[in-house]
Amino acid sequence: MKKVAVMILATFMMTAMVPAFAAEMTKEDKDQCLLASQDCKTEVDSIQKKISKLNKEIKKGTKVYTADEVKKLKAKLKDAEDFLDNMLKQ
Amino acid sequence: MKKKLVVAATAGVLTLAASQAFALENLFNGSFAVRGANANYHTGGGTGYLIAPAWALGAAGIANGEINGNTGAILNAAGVKTRWGANDSGTTKNYVEQRARIFYTAKANDNLKLVTGFEIDSTWGKSSYVVGRSNDGGALGSDTVNLESKWVYLDFNCPITGANVKAGIQPLNDSYKNIFVGGGADAAGLQISKAFGPANLGFGWFRLDDHNGAAGTTFTNGKQTRDLLMLDGKFNVNKDIKFGASYYFLNSDNMQQTAAQSLGGANFAVAGSKQDYNVHMIGANGAATFGPATIDGFILYQFGTVDTFGADPSATAAAAPNTSLYSHEHVNSIAANVSAKVAAGPGAAKINALYVNGGGNAFVNVNNSTSAAFSENVMGAALGNSLILFRNSQYTTNDQYLIYESSFLGQGVIAASAGYDAKISDKAFANVYGAVAWTAKNVVGGSKYIGTEANVEVGYKLFDNLTASVQGAYAILGGYYEKAGRFGDDGRPTDPANPYVARVVLNYVF
């Protein structure tokens, strides 16, 4: 029993990463990621999109976030804006 | 069997552990721009002064009785005047250049990340199968080793103090619109900053150079260095009013410079000469918003000493440069700027003014002493989007301007500009801009009037990340450049032609 449990555990651990490589399927069973590079699980935001998202969340203010969280979002926004600014300098 | 199970279990655990250890957030950002240009002075990948300033005139021009003659290129090896001077204004040329930047950030968590940045520059048609970083690899065949490292630094929030720490080769920017240093300057150093309510305090230390020996040679013995210390305080009174104050200390200990930096002021010494200086800088800056208008500006005061060789900015053309005259000068200099921006119509109107002291008390800025592309400061943030007059921090491979660094070879700058940035639609924009500039002191006599520029840019966002634009700029040269052009048919130097540049730009940022 103990052996079986160890084997199951090992198998589970070794296969834990496999789902990350599974294709993303839409409700219509079309893989929009392959078809149009949309809705990919591995998609990352461009820096403009990140700034836009942060602005959107900051606008929600303390209705949604705590004061500390808003402060944190603002710090992240400044960080992203400074990064973009420095990216494009000489 | 038992042994196999143990191995399998161990492998499984290790796999899981390994996957957790690499649970980094991998961030990729970057940009790519390709520019096609038609111009009479600008060149693909060119750097430096667009037209040799009067201060940089060589002995050849003086020997020929032409105070505002040309640079050394006017005499050929046989001592005969060549028809075309170094200020070649007789030809229109076209070039295409491209610049890619890739930034990879390995983010372990919200408080710890490694930031790296790389750059690949190429001028179309230039070289292939070479090892070099001078815009190579653009010719047929391409294959070239030209990947540059730009940033490599650790960025973390200290769990003990709560301060943000940046350690490594990173962007260096002053709080004064990069008049002193910045706008694309990257340097090795340490920055620590921490917010205290509405205030923010910052400390920075940068090792700019570590030199010794003959001109152009570098060592890393830590004895003869150029260091910059920065203390910055910022305070937000409310969301509309903010101000800041700074103390900077620039110390150069027995630094050696190359011929490329051998002219004028604290930043320039004759090749091979030794140079010590220490410059203290106190500054104040502020910004206030009143309804649709925003006004901001700064004032900087410098004091200290500069020991230099053969580059007394107050010397006459006949005595300077390239003499071995030693001078020990006290620095007592200022720079100041005021800018206003008003939302009007579909965009915003902007006006700017800048004063940078010149002459015997020339403003000391930070320049590079290990590269011929030596400017490490800009005027674009203080004076707007110039394409010809002032070096700005816009992202180009070509880096040529009439006023290439903020002290303008120790002569200083007095300048004003105005512009209007219009948002035509969500995707289209248009900018118009005009500027005029004088030297604060013309060290070789004659006119201080450098020139007037007008430029226009029209652009369209093809995608959120990709912008196509057309830029055109024209400058009317002032009396400062009188007789600084090529030789005419009568054998006498002519006035250089007015510079112009037209560019088509594709710019992708992600």
Side-chain angles (χ1 to χ4, degrees):
Chain A
M1 185 59 194
K2 197 177 173 185
K3 286 178 185 174
V4 173
V6 171
M7 194 173 274
I8 290 170
L9 184 66
T11 310
F12 173 75
M13 285 174 173
M14 292 184 80
T15 55
M17 293 170 71
V18 174
F21 295 99
E24 293 83 16
M25 304 299 281
T26 65
K27 284 175 185 173
E28 297 82 26
D29 286 339
K30 287 182 182 174
D31 189 328
Q32 290 295 334
C33 183
L34 286 175
L35 186 65
S37 297
Q38 289 173 351
D39 302 326
C40 302
K41 281 189 178 172
T42 52
E43 189 176 63
V44 291
D45 290 336
S46 70
I47 192 153
Q48 298 97 326
K49 196 170 178 184
K50 187 178 178 182
I51 288 170
S52 164
K53 276 183 175 177
L54 283 165
N55 271 317
K56 197 175 164 186
E57 294 308 303
I58 288 167
K59 272 184 186 170
K60 291 177 182 172
T62 47
K63 284 177 187 171
V64 175
Y65 295 99
T66 65
D68 271 356
E69 285 171 339
V70 172
K71 198 175 154 189
K72 197 172 177 184
L73 288 172
K74 282 182 177 174
K76 287 191 171 196
L77 176 64
K78 187 179 181 304
D79 201 35
E81 286 174 340
D82 286 350
F83 193 85
L84 176 61
D85 190 37
N86 280 316
M87 266 174 65
L88 302 178
K89 284 181 173 173
Q90 276 285 1
Chain B
M1 182 61 187
K2 191 178 178 183
K3 201 173 179 182
K4 282 180 184 173
L5 281 173
V6 171
V7 170
T10 308
V13 169
L14 287 176
T15 305
L16 186 65
S19 67
Q20 282 176 339
F22 288 103
L24 293 169
E25 189 181 354
N26 298 301
L27 302 174
F28 282 95
N29 298 105
S31 58
F32 176 77
V34 58
R35 288 182 165 79
N38 196 295
N40 56 348
Y41 288 97
H42 295 77
T43 57
T47 63
Y49 297 96
L50 194 62
I51 298 177
W55 178 237
L57 299 180
I62 295 162
N64 285 282
E66 295 144 0
I67 297 301
N68 281 343
N70 216 313
T71 61
I74 52 174
L75 297 182
N76 64 18
V80 178
K81 285 179 183 175
T82 56
R83 178 174 170 79
W84 301 96
N87 290 336
D88 177 2
S89 57
T91 56
T92 294
K93 57 189 86 70
N94 64 70
Y95 62 88
V96 182
E97 60 183 17
Q98 64 176 57
R99 164 171 288 180
R101 281 181 177 166
I102 305 291
F103 299 90
Y104 167 66
T105 302
K107 195 172 175 182
N109 58 52
D110 233 15
N111 295 309
L112 174 60
K113 60 190 174 186
L114 175 74
V115 183
T116 60
F118 306 92
E119 183 174 290
I120 305 168
D121 289 323
S122 299
T123 301
W124 289 14
K126 183 184 179 187
S127 70
S128 66
Y129 309 122
V130 296
V131 176
R133 53 149 305 281
S134 301
N135 308 306
D136 290 305
L140 176 65
S142 180
D143 301 2
T144 286
V145 181
N146 62 350
L147 180 67
E148 302 169 6
S149 66
K150 182 175 170 63
W151 300 344
V152 186
Y153 66 92
L154 198 63
D155 183 336
F156 66 94
N157 297 320
C158 175
I160 302 165
T161 61
N164 177 259
V165 180
K166 291 182 175 69
I169 301 166
Q170 58 189 292
L172 163 58
N173 290 296
D174 65 30
S175 297
Y176 299 88
K177 300 185 181 181
N178 305 135
I179 285 293
F180 178 62
V181 64
D186 301 313
L190 174 73
Q191 291 197 90
I192 302 170
S193 64
K194 184 168 167 52
F196 299 91
N200 191 294
L201 288 179
F203 164 83
W205 168 64
F206 289 90
R207 169 68 41 97
L208 305 178
D209 311 292
D210 192 347
H211 285 227
N212 197 0
T217 61
T218 58
F219 294 89
T220 51
N221 58 13
K223 288 180 181 293
Q224 291 170 300
T225 62
R226 182 168 58 149
D227 295 295
L228 174 63
L229 282 176
M230 305 171 89
L231 281 175
D232 270 305
K234 290 170 187 167
F235 187 77
N236 295 335
V237 178
N238 55 43
K239 71 178 178 61
D240 294 325
I241 299 174
K242 57 184 85 170
F243 65 86
S246 313
Y247 167 73
Y248 297 161
F249 177 52
L250 177 65
N251 180 53
S252 175
D253 185 11
N254 220 11
M255 194 179 69
Q256 305 275 340
Q257 295 193 321
T258 65
Q261 297 89 42
S262 65
L263 301 166
N267 312 295
F268 310 94
V270 171
S273 67
K274 291 182 178 179
Q275 187 178 41
D276 289 86
Y277 57 83
N278 56 78
V279 178
H280 305 268
M281 193 165 91
I282 295 167
N285 59 78
T289 301
F290 309 96
T294 301
I295 296 174
D296 65 60
F298 66 77
I299 184 160
L300 287 169
Y301 171 65
Q302 290 182 335
F303 62 97
T305 56
V306 174
D307 294 358
T308 188
F309 282 76
D312 179 0
S314 62
T316 63
N322 299 331
T323 65
S324 292
L325 178 68
Y326 172 78
S327 65
H328 176 88
E329 294 175 359
H330 287 281
V331 176
N332 183 30
S333 191
I334 64 162
N337 155 259
V338 62
S339 297
K341 179 182 173 184
V342 183
K350 299 172 180 177
I351 55 169
N352 310 285
L354 175 72
Y355 176 81
V356 180
N357 207 38
N361 274 312
F363 183 74
V364 177
N365 56 13
V366 175
N367 285 308
N368 192 316
S369 69
T370 55
S371 164
F374 61 87
S375 185
E376 298 288 1
N377 51 77
V378 299
M379 284 150 283
L383 287 166
N385 194 29
S386 166
L387 298 181
I388 293 176
L389 267 179
F390 316 108
R391 184 172 195 255
N392 68 42
S393 60
Q394 71 167 330
Y395 157 79
T396 62
T397 308
N398 172 281
D399 186 21
Q400 291 174 294
Y401 299 90
L402 290 174
I403 306 171
Y404 186 59
E405 44 83 30
S406 60
S407 82
F408 196 34
L409 288 164
Q411 298 171 115
V413 178
I414 300 172
S417 66
Y420 185 79
D421 296 351
K423 188 181 174 186
I424 298 167
S425 71
D426 282 346
K427 288 181 177 288
F429 64 90
N431 306 324
V432 291
Y433 176 86
V436 60
W438 298 263
T439 61
K441 181 173 183 177
N442 186 336
V443 294
V444 292
S447 174
K448 293 179 179 178
Y449 176 40
I450 298 169
T452 301
E453 174 188 349
N455 74 50
V456 61
E457 178 182 24
V458 179
Y460 188 83
K461 281 190 171 184
L462 296 169
F463 297 100
D464 282 349
N465 308 50
L466 178 64
T467 304
S469 61
V470 178
Q471 304 168 337
Y474 186 86
I476 299 166
L477 293 176
Y480 179 83
Y481 292 99
E482 187 184 0
K483 305 296 181 194
R486 63 190 171 89
F487 285 89
D489 292 337
D490 60 357
R492 304 295 299 170
T494 61
D495 293 341
N498 293 326
Y500 62 83
V501 60
R503 299 196 291 212
V504 180
V505 182
L506 277 174
N507 198 12
Y508 173 48
V509 181
F510 59 95

